[in-house]
């Protein structure tokens, strides 16, 4: 073996050792309180996990928190009057402290260290989803907003979920026009704001698509996106989000 080959191999080995040792000694800290967590586990300590604003009872269709227990198959009044195009929505957490602050930090201040913690809560919620999901769709951002932000938070969450579940994301859906933030609009303007906001390039070949998003505020984004997916060939759409406003 030539010396150059030996040196290259030694350098590769040293860099691998360095990275492995770095990963091993870097503590896994709770994203909410900074306490040291189990190395292989999610970065949320048990007390913070317990204290998260978990939603007790919710509409199975839109994940809106409800006061009374709904019997199986019954939706909230809004879904009964105006059924959304998706069949199930799961969002385990309420959009209140500390989840709201963490999501805003992740989205607007690039605090992507929250991603593994939220992927953990999303995977817990995902157990409530119906079987047969064969594609994931992170809610697309308009290219200009994505360029400004540098990433799409829904795609950041979707990547590890895809890796864990083996379900592939679809990538032929685009947001074709920038839309103002839903939260800043009156209820009557929200639906109009999103009309024709998304389009599918070609066909959707999956049967049951799971839309993945960070927070559901009004549900209008998911309504619009689900309808576009159904029109493009999907048979069923479900929604998974970290939190419900
Ligand atoms: Zn903690
Ligand atoms: Zn509902």
């Amino acid at each position: 073996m030539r010396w150059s080959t030996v040196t290259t191999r030694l350098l590769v080995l040293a860099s691998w050792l360095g990275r492995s040792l770095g990963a091993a000694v870097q503590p896994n800290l709770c994203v909410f309180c900074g306490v040291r967590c189990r190395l292989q586990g999610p970065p949320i300590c048990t007390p913070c996990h317990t204290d998260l604003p978990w939603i007790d009872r919710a509409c199975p269709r839109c994940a809106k928190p409800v006061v009374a227990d709904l019997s199986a198959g019954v939706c909230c009044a809004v879904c009964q009057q105006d059924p959304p195009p998706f069949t199930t929505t799961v969002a385990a957490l309420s959009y209140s402290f500390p989840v709201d602050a963490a999501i805003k930090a992740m989205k607007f201040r690039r605090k992507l260290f929250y991603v593994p913690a939220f992927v953990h809560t999303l995977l817990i919620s995902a157990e409530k989803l119906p079987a047969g999901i064969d594609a994931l769709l992170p809610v697309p951002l308009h290219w200009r907003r994505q360029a400004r932000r540098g990433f799409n938070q829904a795609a950041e969450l979707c990547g590890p979920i895809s890796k864990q579940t083996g379900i592939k994301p679809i990538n032929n859906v685009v947001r074709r026009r920038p839309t103002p933030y839903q939260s800043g609009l009156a209820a009557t303007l929200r639906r109009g704001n999103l009309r024709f906001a998304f389009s599918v390039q070609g066909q959707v070949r999956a049967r049951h698509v799971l839309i993945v998003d960070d927070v559901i505020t009004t549900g209008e984004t998911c309504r619009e996106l689900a309808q576009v997916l159904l029109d493009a060939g999907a048979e069923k759409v479900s929604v998974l989000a970290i939190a419900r406003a």
Side-chain angles (χ1 to χ4, degrees), residues 30 32-33 45 48:
C30 171
F32 296 108
C33 72
C45 71
C48 284

Side-chain angles (χ1 to χ4, degrees), residues 122 135-140 152-155 157-159 161 209-215 222 225 238-242:
L122 284 168
L136 305 174
L137 176 66
V139 173
N152 173 355
Q153 70 282 358
L157 297 164
C158 211
I161 294 173
V209 182
L210 178 68
I211 297 175
V212 179
D213 205 0
D214 52 349
V215 53
C222 293
L225 195 47
S238 293
V239 181
L240 175 67
I242 301 167

Side-chain angles (χ1 to χ4, degrees), residues 9-210:
R9 287 194 180 169
L10 278 173
L11 282 173
V12 170
L13 182 68
S15 127
W16 175 80
L17 268 174
R19 266 182 285 126
S20 310
L21 281 171
V25 292
Q26 209 163 58
N28 184 25
L29 304 179
C30 171
V31 293
F32 296 108
C33 72
V35 143
R36 199 180 275 253
C37 300
R38 211 160 37 85
L39 260 187
Q40 304 306 324
I44 313 182
C45 71
T46 309
C48 284
H49 194 273
T50 311
D51 285 347
L52 284 176
W54 298 99
I55 296 174
D56 269 349
R57 303 183 194 93
C59 167
R61 191 99 182 236
C62 71
K64 205 176 166 65
V66 288
V67 196
D69 253 332
L70 296 170
S71 40
V74 177
C75 310
C76 72
V78 178
C79 289
Q80 285 184 38
Q81 277 164 21
D82 185 12
F86 43 82
T87 43
T88 310
T89 301
V90 182
L93 299 164
S94 149
Y95 190 58
S96 51
F97 189 81
V99 175
D100 53 354
I103 290 178
K104 281 179 197 157
M106 173 178 78
K107 226 156 124 168
F108 304 117
R109 288 189 280 119
R110 293 176 189 241
K111 305 290 185 201
L112 291 172
F113 58 79
Y114 283 110
V115 169
F118 286 136
V119 166
H120 168 72
T121 65
L122 284 168
L123 287 169
I124 294 176
S125 323
E127 286 169 17
K128 290 189 187 156
L129 286 166
I133 290 164
D134 55 357
L136 305 174
L137 176 66
V139 173
L141 286 181
H142 186 259
W143 67 267
R144 213 176 298 143
R145 187 168 288 171
Q146 178 152 349
R148 211 177 309 132
R149 193 171 290 176
F151 62 95
N152 173 355
Q153 70 282 358
E156 295 294 322
L157 297 164
C158 211
I161 294 173
S162 170
K163 215 168 160 185
Q164 282 262 345
T165 58
I167 306 171
K168 295 261 179 300
I170 48 176
N171 51 15
N172 58 339
V173 184
V174 292
R175 200 166 193 136
R176 53 183 179 185
R177 59 183 182 82
T179 46
Y181 287 106
Q182 286 293 89
S183 47
L185 290 173
T188 44
L189 292 174
R190 282 171 187 158
R191 204 165 284 183
N193 173 41
L194 285 158
R195 199 144 291 157
F196 312 118
F198 301 101
S199 72
V200 177
Q201 294 169 334
Q203 277 267 304
V204 170
R205 307 221 177 269
R207 292 174 64 152
H208 186 174
V209 182
L210 178 68

